Amino acid sequence: MGVDPGLVATGFGVLEAGADGVTVRDAGVISTTTGQPLEARLNALHRAVHRIIELQRPGLLVVEDLYTEYKFPRTAILMGHARGVIYLAARQLGVAVVALAPSEVKRAMTGNGAAGKAQVQRAVQTVLGLKELPRPSHVADALGLAATGMSRVTGRFPTAVSGRTSGSFFSAAGARKWPPHSPRSAVEPVRSAVDPVGPAVGPGRPAVNPELPA
């Protein structure tokens, strides 16, 4: 499972490897309301990520690492907050986390460590055999993280299963999902997950099966 962290919008993408290739199991964007207090937004993000991990049970979480430089230090601080609650959700559910630099993912997907967002989107579409361009860019980044992480674990770059990843984006309760027919869809659970009311930290859960999707 790849996660492109952000306080306003966090992209996620879950890939599943099979004997004949890789399919997109789930993908979308978790968004928070800018007018809410920081603690409420972080709680909403934590609950949404926690719920998606519970549903999809990935064997590995691949998170975009912080940039080495930020023009705006506040951006790095807010990104750090978002990454922290994502790491917490993974820890609570026993999922290992790997951080990859954006340049490494871009290089793996496009051959260019300085590729732009549009180039990454097209590369993800090609590598995963998607019939539509993955939008918004947060989703493409998350799928690229998942694909790169999977190649690290397996030693092979993912190849797509033709015809099993068609679909289009739509909006629901702060989470934009793709594809709509994805199994065990997280849209309904995320409706309650993005509600800031309620505790962020719950009781511990058993570790997940490491052989399940990345």
Side-chain angles (χ1 to χ4, degrees):
M1 175 175 170
V3 181
D4 177 33
L7 190 58
V8 174
T10 289
F12 67 92
V14 184
L15 300 181
E16 183 170 17
D20 53 352
V22 173
T23 57
V24 177
R25 185 180 176 95
D26 206 357
V29 172
I30 303 162
S31 57
T32 65
T33 304
T34 55
Q36 292 179 335
L38 176 61
E39 63 272 21
R41 298 174 71 184
L42 292 173
N43 187 46
L45 176 58
H46 171 271
R47 294 176 67 191
V49 171
H50 192 282
R51 184 59 175 157
I52 292 166
I53 294 173
E54 279 189 315
L55 286 171
Q56 299 299 341
R57 296 179 61 82
L60 178 68
L61 200 70
V62 187
V63 181
E64 183 178 274
D65 207 351
L66 289 172
Y67 300 101
T68 54
E69 293 183 10
Y70 274 97
K71 291 183 179 179
F72 305 101
R74 178 175 169 78
T75 301
I77 293 171
L78 293 177
M79 176 74 78
H81 287 325
R83 293 178 78 247
V85 298
I86 292 166
Y87 271 71
L88 174 61
R91 178 65 179 180
Q92 288 172 329
L93 293 170
V95 180
V97 181
V98 171
L100 297 182
S103 58
E104 180 179 348
V105 177
K106 291 177 180 180
R107 191 177 303 109
M109 299 302 298
T110 71
N112 176 10
K117 290 186 178 297
Q119 190 177 350
V120 172
Q121 285 176 290
R122 290 192 297 270
V124 169
Q125 180 185 21
T126 300
V127 169
L128 298 179
L130 308 181
K131 293 185 178 180
E132 295 186 7
L133 196 70
R135 295 190 180 95
S137 61
H138 301 296
V139 172
D141 290 343
L143 289 171
L145 284 159
T148 306
M150 184 176 285
S151 68
R152 263 198 179 191
V153 172
T154 64
R156 294 181 296 125
F157 206 72
T159 56
V161 177
S162 178
R164 292 183 57 189
T165 55
S166 61
S168 57
F169 292 96
F170 69 97
S171 221
R176 283 170 287 180
K177 293 291 293 30
W178 182 97
H181 63 274
S182 179
R184 303 177 72 184
S185 174
V187 168
E188 290 301 324
V190 166
R191 287 181 178 174
S192 60
V194 296
D195 182 356
V197 179
V201 179
R205 305 295 203 290
V208 298
N209 187 337
E211 296 180 0
L212 290 168

